[in-house]
Amino acid sequence: MDYKQLIIRGISYSQTQSGAYALLLEHEETNVKLPVVIGNFEAQSISLGLEKDIHPPRPLTHDLFTKFIVSANFELVSVIIYQIVDGVFFSNINFKNSATEEELILDARTSDAVAMAVRFDAPIFTTQQVLNEAGILLELEDTAKEEDVFSETMQDEETLKNVSMEELQKLLDDAVKEEDFDTALEIQEEIKRRKKKID
């Protein structure tokens, strides 16, 4: 299968889900962004994994698992985000034994898989289908803050149905600029529903 490599663009606080964060992955070749909602612990673990110079006084769960993998002569080769169902991403972690060449594939939550990948500097991949279903094709540019109309719009799901496609696209742009990826996904779903009806 032709997998698409992703890079980590950042982690931001979720404006729509209390205590949650949005992990932003990007396919560099197409600039398609893949926002993944993750928990507070996983966000902290990924951030610490990216900051190689910061070491917690006691090992986190992902650090402990990393040490176990290395002690067992395995290495983390890659992470593959292979499916999205009802907004939930499914991932595999691919391991390889450096001594026996044995390969091992484990199912994992995407947040855990990414937290492990950053500790091994392992690549993260996804499929074109996942990018098509959940990706957002927009540039994140530093622009003047526009009127925050999308937060009011999202208070009532029915309101979206009364918004024109042009306005929906503007709301989507605003949501991404504000790094409110939960809202962006909801708006994008409405756009996709309308395009399906046209087709």
Side-chain angles (χ1 to χ4, degrees):
M1 186 176 286
D2 182 23
Y3 291 115
K4 310 297 182 182
Q5 186 166 352
L6 303 170
I7 61 168
I8 298 173
R9 279 296 301 268
I11 300 173
S12 63
Y13 187 74
S14 174
Q15 299 180 27
T16 59
Q17 292 189 31
S18 177
Y21 289 78
L23 167 67
L24 186 63
L25 303 172
E26 179 185 64
H27 182 227
E28 278 192 299
E29 292 180 16
T30 60
N31 293 323
V32 172
K33 277 73 174 176
L34 198 66
V36 182
V37 177
I38 61 176
N40 176 55
F41 172 75
E42 290 77 17
Q44 180 187 46
S45 183
I46 292 170
S47 296
L48 288 173
L50 290 169
E51 297 291 336
K52 306 296 183 183
D53 297 332
I54 301 177
H55 303 285
R58 301 295 296 153
L60 300 176
T61 303
H62 298 114
D63 297 322
L64 185 63
F65 192 37
T66 296
K67 290 181 180 179
F68 175 78
I69 292 167
V70 173
S71 298
N73 292 321
F74 276 87
E75 61 177 322
L76 196 157
V77 178
S78 65
V79 163
I80 298 177
I81 304 171
Y82 64 89
Q83 189 179 27
I84 179 171
V85 178
D86 296 328
V88 178
F89 292 92
F90 290 78
S91 298
N92 283 333
I93 307 178
N94 300 313
F95 299 95
K96 188 172 185 178
N97 190 302
S98 54
T100 65
E101 298 295 312
E102 176 190 358
E103 295 183 354
L104 177 65
I105 300 175
L106 295 180
D107 181 43
R109 296 187 307 168
T110 298
S111 55
D112 290 327
V114 172
M116 295 301 302
V118 297
R119 284 163 170 76
F120 282 88
D121 292 319
I124 303 167
F125 298 97
T126 192
T127 65
Q128 186 62 54
Q129 183 178 355
V130 170
L131 286 175
N132 291 343
E133 290 184 21
I136 298 175
L137 181 56
L138 286 170
E139 291 291 342
L140 296 183
E141 298 175 349
D142 293 327
T143 57
K145 187 173 180 181
E146 299 180 20
E147 185 181 357
D148 188 11
V149 295
F150 63 85
S151 57
E152 181 179 347
T153 301
M154 294 309 299
Q155 290 178 3
D156 184 359
E157 187 176 332
E158 289 298 315
T159 306
L160 275 184
K161 296 177 181 177
N162 301 321
V163 176
S164 71
M165 281 290 282
E166 185 178 320
E167 290 172 326
L168 278 177
Q169 190 60 52
K170 183 182 182 303
L171 293 176
L172 180 60
D173 293 348
D174 291 342
V176 172
K177 286 172 187 173
E178 293 296 320
E179 297 187 357
D180 184 0
F181 301 112
D182 297 340
T183 299
L185 278 176
E186 290 182 44
I187 297 171
Q188 185 168 319
E189 284 302 312
E190 176 62 23
I191 292 174
K192 285 181 180 178
R193 278 195 293 268
R194 293 193 190 184
K195 286 183 177 178
K196 282 183 181 179
K197 288 180 180 178
I198 294 173
D199 295 339

mmCIF file with all atom_site columns, all heavy atoms in Angstrom, residues 22-24 28 36 47 50 64 75 111 124 135-136 146 150 187-188 194:
data_model
loop_
_atom_site.group_PDB
_atom_site.id
_atom_site.type_symbol
_atom_site.label_atom_id
_atom_site.label_alt_id
_atom_site.label_comp_id
_atom_site.label_asym_id
_atom_site.label_entity_id
_atom_site.label_seq_id
_atom_site.pdbx_PDB_ins_code
_atom_site.Cartn_x
_atom_site.Cartn_y
_atom_site.Cartn_z
_atom_site.occupancy
_atom_site.B_iso_or_equiv
_atom_site.pdbx_formal_charge
_atom_site.auth_seq_id
_atom_site.auth_comp_id
_atom_site.auth_asym_id
_atom_site.auth_atom_id
_atom_site.pdbx_PDB_model_num
ATOM 1   N N   . ALA A 1 22  ? -5.493  18.945 20.689 1.00 0.00 ? 22  ALA A N   1
ATOM 2   C CA  . ALA A 1 22  ? -5.501  18.568 19.279 1.00 0.00 ? 22  ALA A CA  1
ATOM 3   C C   . ALA A 1 22  ? -4.056  18.394 18.815 1.00 0.00 ? 22  ALA A C   1
ATOM 4   O O   . ALA A 1 22  ? -3.262  19.334 18.875 1.00 0.00 ? 22  ALA A O   1
ATOM 5   C CB  . ALA A 1 22  ? -6.193  19.628 18.442 1.00 0.00 ? 22  ALA A CB  1
ATOM 6   N N   . LEU A 1 23  ? -3.726  17.172 18.397 1.00 0.00 ? 23  LEU A N   1
ATOM 7   C CA  . LEU A 1 23  ? -2.429  16.881 17.804 1.00 0.00 ? 23  LEU A CA  1
ATOM 8   C C   . LEU A 1 23  ? -2.553  17.109 16.302 1.00 0.00 ? 23  LEU A C   1
ATOM 9   O O   . LEU A 1 23  ? -3.411  16.516 15.653 1.00 0.00 ? 23  LEU A O   1
ATOM 10  C CB  . LEU A 1 23  ? -2.034  15.426 18.095 1.00 0.00 ? 23  LEU A CB  1
ATOM 11  C CG  . LEU A 1 23  ? -0.862  14.862 17.293 1.00 0.00 ? 23  LEU A CG  1
ATOM 12  C CD1 . LEU A 1 23  ? 0.440   15.560 17.673 1.00 0.00 ? 23  LEU A CD1 1
ATOM 13  C CD2 . LEU A 1 23  ? -0.753  13.352 17.529 1.00 0.00 ? 23  LEU A CD2 1
ATOM 14  N N   . LEU A 1 24  ? -1.713  17.981 15.763 1.00 0.00 ? 24  LEU A N   1
ATOM 15  C CA  . LEU A 1 24  ? -1.806  18.312 14.338 1.00 0.00 ? 24  LEU A CA  1
ATOM 16  C C   . LEU A 1 24  ? -0.672  17.632 13.570 1.00 0.00 ? 24  LEU A C   1
ATOM 17  O O   . LEU A 1 24  ? 0.502   17.930 13.769 1.00 0.00 ? 24  LEU A O   1
ATOM 18  C CB  . LEU A 1 24  ? -1.741  19.824 14.136 1.00 0.00 ? 24  LEU A CB  1
ATOM 19  C CG  . LEU A 1 24  ? -1.970  20.299 12.700 1.00 0.00 ? 24  LEU A CG  1
ATOM 20  C CD1 . LEU A 1 24  ? -3.381  19.934 12.242 1.00 0.00 ? 24  LEU A CD1 1
ATOM 21  C CD2 . LEU A 1 24  ? -1.757  21.805 12.594 1.00 0.00 ? 24  LEU A CD2 1
ATOM 22  N N   . GLU A 1 28  ? 3.513   16.578 4.253  1.00 0.00 ? 28  GLU A N   1
ATOM 23  C CA  . GLU A 1 28  ? 4.292   17.701 3.729  1.00 0.00 ? 28  GLU A CA  1
ATOM 24  C C   . GLU A 1 28  ? 4.106   17.925 2.227  1.00 0.00 ? 28  GLU A C   1
ATOM 25  O O   . GLU A 1 28  ? 4.106   19.055 1.757  1.00 0.00 ? 28  GLU A O   1
ATOM 26  C CB  . GLU A 1 28  ? 5.773   17.493 4.032  1.00 0.00 ? 28  GLU A CB  1
ATOM 27  C CG  . GLU A 1 28  ? 6.173   17.914 5.431  1.00 0.00 ? 28  GLU A CG  1
ATOM 28  C CD  . GLU A 1 28  ? 7.668   17.970 5.607  1.00 0.00 ? 28  GLU A CD  1
ATOM 29  O OE1 . GLU A 1 28  ? 8.324   16.922 5.438  1.00 0.00 ? 28  GLU A OE1 1
ATOM 30  O OE2 . GLU A 1 28  ? 8.180   19.062 5.911  1.00 0.00 ? 28  GLU A OE2 1
ATOM 31  N N   . VAL A 1 36  ? -5.883  15.311 15.320 1.00 0.00 ? 36  VAL A N   1
ATOM 32  C CA  . VAL A 1 36  ? -6.278  14.159 16.133 1.00 0.00 ? 36  VAL A CA  1
ATOM 33  C C   . VAL A 1 36  ? -6.503  14.637 17.571 1.00 0.00 ? 36  VAL A C   1
ATOM 34  O O   . VAL A 1 36  ? -5.606  15.210 18.188 1.00 0.00 ? 36  VAL A O   1
ATOM 35  C CB  . VAL A 1 36  ? -5.182  13.063 16.126 1.00 0.00 ? 36  VAL A CB  1
ATOM 36  C CG1 . VAL A 1 36  ? -5.633  11.855 16.933 1.00 0.00 ? 36  VAL A CG1 1
ATOM 37  C CG2 . VAL A 1 36  ? -4.827  12.670 14.690 1.00 0.00 ? 36  VAL A CG2 1
ATOM 38  N N   . SER A 1 47  ? 4.793   15.787 23.981 1.00 0.00 ? 47  SER A N   1
ATOM 39  C CA  . SER A 1 47  ? 5.615   16.994 24.109 1.00 0.00 ? 47  SER A CA  1
ATOM 40  C C   . SER A 1 47  ? 6.965   16.683 24.740 1.00 0.00 ? 47  SER A C   1
ATOM 41  O O   . SER A 1 47  ? 8.010   17.155 24.285 1.00 0.00 ? 47  SER A O   1
ATOM 42  C CB  . SER A 1 47  ? 4.883   18.051 24.948 1.00 0.00 ? 47  SER A CB  1
ATOM 43  O OG  . SER A 1 47  ? 3.704   18.475 24.296 1.00 0.00 ? 47  SER A OG  1
ATOM 44  N N   . LEU A 1 50  ? 9.182   14.894 22.305 1.00 0.00 ? 50  LEU A N   1
ATOM 45  C CA  . LEU A 1 50  ? 9.760   15.797 21.300 1.00 0.00 ? 50  LEU A CA  1
ATOM 46  C C   . LEU A 1 50  ? 10.896  16.622 21.883 1.00 0.00 ? 50  LEU A C   1
ATOM 47  O O   . LEU A 1 50  ? 11.872  16.927 21.191 1.00 0.00 ? 50  LEU A O   1
ATOM 48  C CB  . LEU A 1 50  ? 8.670   16.734 20.749 1.00 0.00 ? 50  LEU A CB  1
ATOM 49  C CG  . LEU A 1 50  ? 7.604   16.078 19.868 1.00 0.00 ? 50  LEU A CG  1
ATOM 50  C CD1 . LEU A 1 50  ? 6.457   17.044 19.623 1.00 0.00 ? 50  LEU A CD1 1
ATOM 51  C CD2 . LEU A 1 50  ? 8.200   15.617 18.548 1.00 0.00 ? 50  LEU A CD2 1
ATOM 52  N N   . LEU A 1 64  ? 8.706   4.006  30.089 1.00 0.00 ? 64  LEU A N   1
ATOM 53  C CA  . LEU A 1 64  ? 8.884   2.652  30.615 1.00 0.00 ? 64  LEU A CA  1
ATOM 54  C C   . LEU A 1 64  ? 8.752   1.617  29.497 1.00 0.00 ? 64  LEU A C   1
ATOM 55  O O   . LEU A 1 64  ? 9.561   0.686  29.386 1.00 0.00 ? 64  LEU A O   1
ATOM 56  C CB  . LEU A 1 64  ? 7.846   2.394  31.706 1.00 0.00 ? 64  LEU A CB  1
ATOM 57  C CG  . LEU A 1 64  ? 7.956   1.060  32.461 1.00 0.00 ? 64  LEU A CG  1
ATOM 58  C CD1 . LEU A 1 64  ? 9.272   0.976  33.212 1.00 0.00 ? 64  LEU A CD1 1
ATOM 59  C CD2 . LEU A 1 64  ? 6.786   0.925  33.423 1.00 0.00 ? 64  LEU A CD2 1
ATOM 60  N N   . GLU A 1 75  ? 13.093  -2.615 18.090 1.00 0.00 ? 75  GLU A N   1
ATOM 61  C CA  . GLU A 1 75  ? 13.071  -1.196 17.784 1.00 0.00 ? 75  GLU A CA  1
ATOM 62  C C   . GLU A 1 75  ? 11.736  -0.861 17.139 1.00 0.00 ? 75  GLU A C   1
ATOM 63  O O   . GLU A 1 75  ? 11.135  -1.701 16.467 1.00 0.00 ? 75  GLU A O   1
ATOM 64  C CB  . GLU A 1 75  ? 14.224  -0.811 16.849 1.00 0.00 ? 75  GLU A CB  1
ATOM 65  C CG  . GLU A 1 75  ? 14.195  -1.497 15.501 1.00 0.00 ? 75  GLU A CG  1
ATOM 66  C CD  . GLU A 1 75  ? 15.319  -1.018 14.596 1.00 0.00 ? 75  GLU A CD  1
ATOM 67  O OE1 . GLU A 1 75  ? 15.633  0.182  14.630 1.00 0.00 ? 75  GLU A OE1 1
ATOM 68  O OE2 . GLU A 1 75  ? 15.874  -1.850 13.860 1.00 0.00 ? 75  GLU A OE2 1
ATOM 69  N N   . SER A 1 111 ? -2.777  8.290  19.822 1.00 0.00 ? 111 SER A N   1
ATOM 70  C CA  . SER A 1 111 ? -2.008  9.144  20.742 1.00 0.00 ? 111 SER A CA  1
ATOM 71  C C   . SER A 1 111 ? -0.839  8.379  21.357 1.00 0.00 ? 111 SER A C   1
ATOM 72  O O   . SER A 1 111 ? 0.279   8.905  21.466 1.00 0.00 ? 111 SER A O   1
ATOM 73  C CB  . SER A 1 111 ? -2.923  9.687  21.843 1.00 0.00 ? 111 SER A CB  1
ATOM 74  O OG  . SER A 1 111 ? -3.581  8.619  22.516 1.00 0.00 ? 111 SER A OG  1
ATOM 75  N N   . ILE A 1 124 ? 5.886   8.382  10.927 1.00 0.00 ? 124 ILE A N   1
ATOM 76  C CA  . ILE A 1 124 ? 4.449   8.188  11.089 1.00 0.00 ? 124 ILE A CA  1
ATOM 77  C C   . ILE A 1 124 ? 3.812   8.245  9.704  1.00 0.00 ? 124 ILE A C   1
ATOM 78  O O   . ILE A 1 124 ? 4.051   9.185  8.947  1.00 0.00 ? 124 ILE A O   1
ATOM 79  C CB  . ILE A 1 124 ? 3.846   9.273  11.999 1.00 0.00 ? 124 ILE A CB  1
ATOM 80  C CG1 . ILE A 1 124 ? 4.544   9.272  13.363 1.00 0.00 ? 124 ILE A CG1 1
ATOM 81  C CG2 . ILE A 1 124 ? 2.338   9.076  12.159 1.00 0.00 ? 124 ILE A CG2 1
ATOM 82  C CD1 . ILE A 1 124 ? 4.240   10.502 14.207 1.00 0.00 ? 124 ILE A CD1 1
ATOM 83  N N   . GLY A 1 135 ? -8.591  14.796 6.480  1.00 0.00 ? 135 GLY A N   1
ATOM 84  C CA  . GLY A 1 135 ? -7.581  15.821 6.262  1.00 0.00 ? 135 GLY A CA  1
ATOM 85  C C   . GLY A 1 135 ? -8.183  17.182 5.968  1.00 0.00 ? 135 GLY A C   1
ATOM 86  O O   . GLY A 1 135 ? -9.289  17.305 5.445  1.00 0.00 ? 135 GLY A O   1
ATOM 87  N N   . ILE A 1 136 ? -7.440  18.217 6.312  1.00 0.00 ? 136 ILE A N   1
ATOM 88  C CA  . ILE A 1 136 ? -7.845  19.595 6.043  1.00 0.00 ? 136 ILE A CA  1
ATOM 89  C C   . ILE A 1 136 ? -6.762  20.223 5.175  1.00 0.00 ? 136 ILE A C   1
ATOM 90  O O   . ILE A 1 136 ? -5.609  20.315 5.581  1.00 0.00 ? 136 ILE A O   1
ATOM 91  C CB  . ILE A 1 136 ? -8.008  20.409 7.348  1.00 0.00 ? 136 ILE A CB  1
ATOM 92  C CG1 . ILE A 1 136 ? -9.115  19.814 8.220  1.00 0.00 ? 136 ILE A CG1 1
ATOM 93  C CG2 . ILE A 1 136 ? -8.308  21.868 7.037  1.00 0.00 ? 136 ILE A CG2 1
ATOM 94  C CD1 . ILE A 1 136 ? -9.258  20.481 9.558  1.00 0.00 ? 136 ILE A CD1 1
ATOM 95  N N   . GLU A 1 146 ? -9.396  37.319 12.486 1.00 0.00 ? 146 GLU A N   1
ATOM 96  C CA  . GLU A 1 146 ? -10.676 37.718 11.925 1.00 0.00 ? 146 GLU A CA  1
ATOM 97  C C   . GLU A 1 146 ? -11.773 37.538 12.969 1.00 0.00 ? 146 GLU A C   1
ATOM 98  O O   . GLU A 1 146 ? -11.579 36.929 14.009 1.00 0.00 ? 146 GLU A O   1
ATOM 99  C CB  . GLU A 1 146 ? -10.979 36.877 10.682 1.00 0.00 ? 146 GLU A CB  1
ATOM 100 C CG  . GLU A 1 146 ? -9.935  37.061 9.594  1.00 0.00 ? 146 GLU A CG  1
ATOM 101 C CD  . GLU A 1 146 ? -10.250 36.237 8.373  1.00 0.00 ? 146 GLU A CD  1
ATOM 102 O OE1 . GLU A 1 146 ? -11.425 35.842 8.212  1.00 0.00 ? 146 GLU A OE1 1
ATOM 103 O OE2 . GLU A 1 146 ? -9.326  35.983 7.597  1.00 0.00 ? 146 GLU A OE2 1
ATOM 104 N N   . PHE A 1 150 ? -17.332 31.626 14.063 1.00 0.00 ? 150 PHE A N   1
ATOM 105 C CA  . PHE A 1 150 ? -17.615 30.197 13.990 1.00 0.00 ? 150 PHE A CA  1
ATOM 106 C C   . PHE A 1 150 ? -17.993 29.603 15.335 1.00 0.00 ? 150 PHE A C   1
ATOM 107 O O   . PHE A 1 150 ? -18.752 28.661 15.416 1.00 0.00 ? 150 PHE A O   1
ATOM 108 C CB  . PHE A 1 150 ? -16.425 29.434 13.397 1.00 0.00 ? 150 PHE A CB  1
ATOM 109 C CG  . PHE A 1 150 ? -15.181 29.501 14.211 1.00 0.00 ? 150 PHE A CG  1
ATOM 110 C CD1 . PHE A 1 150 ? -14.954 28.621 15.251 1.00 0.00 ? 150 PHE A CD1 1
ATOM 111 C CD2 . PHE A 1 150 ? -14.212 30.447 13.916 1.00 0.00 ? 150 PHE A CD2 1
ATOM 112 C CE1 . PHE A 1 150 ? -13.791 28.681 15.986 1.00 0.00 ? 150 PHE A CE1 1
ATOM 113 C CE2 . PHE A 1 150 ? -13.044 30.496 14.663 1.00 0.00 ? 150 PHE A CE2 1
ATOM 114 C CZ  . PHE A 1 150 ? -12.840 29.619 15.692 1.00 0.00 ? 150 PHE A CZ  1
ATOM 115 N N   . ILE A 1 187 ? -17.247 21.347 10.733 1.00 0.00 ? 187 ILE A N   1
ATOM 116 C CA  . ILE A 1 187 ? -17.614 22.144 9.554  1.00 0.00 ? 187 ILE A CA  1
ATOM 117 C C   . ILE A 1 187 ? -17.293 21.370 8.283  1.00 0.00 ? 187 ILE A C   1
ATOM 118 O O   . ILE A 1 187 ? -18.079 21.351 7.330  1.00 0.00 ? 187 ILE A O   1
ATOM 119 C CB  . ILE A 1 187 ? -16.864 23.492 9.567  1.00 0.00 ? 187 ILE A CB  1
ATOM 120 C CG1 . ILE A 1 187 ? -17.286 24.325 10.786 1.00 0.00 ? 187 ILE A CG1 1
ATOM 121 C CG2 . ILE A 1 187 ? -17.149 24.267 8.279  1.00 0.00 ? 187 ILE A CG2 1
ATOM 122 C CD1 . ILE A 1 187 ? -16.458 25.571 11.004 1.00 0.00 ? 187 ILE A CD1 1
ATOM 123 N N   . GLN A 1 188 ? -16.139 20.723 8.282  1.00 0.00 ? 188 GLN A N   1
ATOM 124 C CA  . GLN A 1 188 ? -15.739 19.958 7.094  1.00 0.00 ? 188 GLN A CA  1
ATOM 125 C C   . GLN A 1 188 ? -16.718 18.816 6.821  1.00 0.00 ? 188 GLN A C   1
ATOM 126 O O   . GLN A 1 188 ? -17.006 18.497 5.671  1.00 0.00 ? 188 GLN A O   1
ATOM 127 C CB  . GLN A 1 188 ? -14.319 19.413 7.274  1.00 0.00 ? 188 GLN A CB  1
ATOM 128 C CG  . GLN A 1 188 ? -13.803 18.707 6.023  1.00 0.00 ? 188 GLN A CG  1
ATOM 129 C CD  . GLN A 1 188 ? -12.322 18.437 6.098  1.00 0.00 ? 188 GLN A CD  1
ATOM 130 O OE1 . GLN A 1 188 ? -11.557 19.259 6.552  1.00 0.00 ? 188 GLN A OE1 1
ATOM 131 N NE2 . GLN A 1 188 ? -11.921 17.279 5.657  1.00 0.00 ? 188 GLN A NE2 1
ATOM 132 N N   . ARG A 1 194 ? -22.824 17.998 2.045  1.00 0.00 ? 194 ARG A N   1
ATOM 133 C CA  . ARG A 1 194 ? -23.450 18.756 0.964  1.00 0.00 ? 194 ARG A CA  1
ATOM 134 C C   . ARG A 1 194 ? -22.891 18.348 -0.407 1.00 0.00 ? 194 ARG A C   1
ATOM 135 O O   . ARG A 1 194 ? -23.634 18.257 -1.368 1.00 0.00 ? 194 ARG A O   1
ATOM 136 C CB  . ARG A 1 194 ? -23.229 20.256 1.173  1.00 0.00 ? 194 ARG A CB  1
ATOM 137 C CG  . ARG A 1 194 ? -23.956 20.790 2.393  1.00 0.00 ? 194 ARG A CG  1
ATOM 138 C CD  . ARG A 1 194 ? -23.977 22.293 2.387  1.00 0.00 ? 194 ARG A CD  1
ATOM 139 N NE  . ARG A 1 194 ? -24.464 22.814 3.656  1.00 0.00 ? 194 ARG A NE  1
ATOM 140 C CZ  . ARG A 1 194 ? -24.650 24.111 3.896  1.00 0.00 ? 194 ARG A CZ  1
ATOM 141 N NH1 . ARG A 1 194 ? -24.389 25.008 2.965  1.00 0.00 ? 194 ARG A NH1 1
ATOM 142 N NH2 . ARG A 1 194 ? -25.088 24.510 5.067  1.00 0.00 ? 194 ARG A NH2 1
#
